[in-house]
Amino acid sequence: MTGLRYVYAVCRPFGTPLQSQLTGVAGDPPRMLHHHGLVAVLSHVPAKDFDEAPLRAHLEDLDWLTETARAHQQVVDALTAVTTPLPLRLGTVFRDDSGVRVMMEEREEDFRRTLERLQGRVEWGVKVYIEPEAETAGARETAVPATSPAAGSGRDYLRQRSMKAKAQEDSWQRAERFAGRLHSLLSAHADASRLHAPQNSALSRAAGQNVLNAAYLVPRGESEEFVEIVDRTKGEEPGIRVELTGPWAAYSFVESDETFAETDETKDSGTSVESEEGV
């Protein structure tokens, strides 16, 4: 199959084969391009969809973007199971193998340094939410009964609003204290940690308010212990939900550069098409 080169990640050579039925973006199985002791994992993709103009148009198509992101992540996940990959941005496309080699030579020092730092480690994500029921429980408890003669008075209305706000503030402060303790505990059991901005519930579609959105870099051999620590905290505080995701490639711990993937589970998309000619 001819076409452009869609690159998922860069890693060191590895001996364990990927899943035999694994397919990537546009249904093409991932291939290995070896260069200067590094490996670029890529697929061949059609120019009609992945050249610069059609790619930009496709990135406005949510269904297409979702399908492509899922295929991209599927390959990165398969690599994470057998090696330490440095995931590149979704939509990282080159004209040909030569373009990929040029990119690898230009970033060779960065790739090697980052791979050395992340070798044998994976990323775990931990989020803490205030459950929707906890947000409204205080308001229900302090509400003035509808049958009360004073239920419609302005004074009681303001008092109810004030009590509701206080209940929500108390719930938020309690969740923040819990999240702070949890982050300190998990950071002590990780090689590194990153705090991301809390997710907008309207965008993430997750129930409740996100209080903690953190990533932890953990040696692969210590992951089981890390997961057990997180699991023990679940249900510790009523009305607070703890979510664990992973293991991921170390998205949050690669050096800050546009070559690398963005953070968080959606792994934000890029739009550039590159080659040695700079197209």
Side-chain angles (χ1 to χ4, degrees):
M1 177 180 177
T2 60
L4 305 178
R5 307 301 191 263
Y6 183 107
V7 186
Y8 303 93
V10 173
C11 58
R12 291 173 171 172
F14 57 94
T16 306
L18 296 175
Q19 307 160 18
S20 59
Q21 302 302 314
L22 181 65
T23 58
V25 172
D28 191 53
R31 307 154 194 258
M32 311 298 160
L33 177 63
H34 292 257
H35 189 67
H36 287 188
L38 295 173
V39 177
V41 182
L42 56 85
S43 287
H44 292 185
V45 293
K48 68 180 181 66
D49 289 321
F50 288 89
D51 215 338
E52 187 167 6
L55 178 58
R56 288 184 183 277
H58 278 312
L59 292 173
E60 302 297 323
D61 180 342
L62 183 58
D63 290 338
W64 186 93
L65 184 59
T66 300
E67 181 181 351
T68 301
R70 184 178 295 116
H72 177 105
Q73 188 61 37
Q74 182 172 277
V75 173
V76 174
D77 286 346
L79 286 168
T80 304
V82 298
T83 188
T84 301
L86 298 185
L88 304 190
R89 295 185 66 177
L90 190 150
T92 299
V93 182
F94 297 85
R95 292 292 177 198
D96 47 34
D97 288 355
S98 294
V100 179
R101 290 191 178 97
V102 168
M103 178 272 293
M104 294 174 74
E105 287 187 9
E106 289 177 345
R107 300 306 316 277
E108 183 175 349
E109 184 178 340
D110 290 340
F111 286 152
R112 292 187 184 281
R113 183 173 59 249
T114 306
L115 282 167
E116 179 66 27
R117 179 166 51 85
L118 300 181
Q119 186 65 27
R121 295 165 175 81
V122 293
E123 175 176 328
W124 290 93
V126 176
K127 294 183 175 67
V128 173
Y129 294 90
I130 303 174
E131 295 279 25
E133 295 80 4
E135 294 179 89
T136 58
R140 288 198 300 267
E141 292 171 2
T142 58
V144 176
T147 55
S148 168
S153 72
R155 180 180 299 174
D156 282 311
Y157 172 75
L158 292 175
R159 181 170 63 86
Q160 183 174 333
R161 286 285 300 272
S162 175
M163 295 178 71
K164 177 180 178 181
K166 185 178 185 305
Q168 290 176 333
E169 179 64 21
D170 289 347
S171 178
W172 183 265
Q173 290 180 357
R174 183 169 60 87
E176 282 192 321
R177 288 193 295 269
F178 171 81
R181 294 194 303 270
L182 178 60
H183 179 60
S184 296
L185 174 64
L186 297 180
S187 295
H189 288 82
D191 286 351
S193 63
R194 294 285 186 274
L195 285 172
H196 300 307
Q199 288 187 321
N200 185 317
S201 57
L203 298 178
S204 67
R205 299 180 181 178
Q209 288 186 288
N210 184 208
V211 182
L212 176 70
N213 181 14
Y216 302 90
L217 185 67
V218 180
R220 194 182 297 270
E222 298 175 20
S223 286
E224 184 175 350
E225 179 185 359
F226 184 87
V227 171
E228 289 176 354
I229 292 171
V230 177
D231 284 344
R232 286 198 296 268
T233 70
K234 295 180 178 179
E236 186 176 301
E237 285 281 351
I240 295 177
R241 183 174 83 256
V242 179
E243 289 188 357
L244 173 72
T245 61
W248 305 103
Y251 287 96
S252 300
F253 301 94
V254 296
E255 295 176 0
S256 178
D257 185 276
E258 64 180 9
T259 305
F260 294 111
E262 301 290 340
T263 59
D264 226 332
E265 292 78 1
T266 55
K267 312 302 183 281
D268 278 335
S269 64
T271 58
S272 61
V273 177
E274 306 175 52
S275 74
E276 72 273 32
E277 292 84 18
V279 176

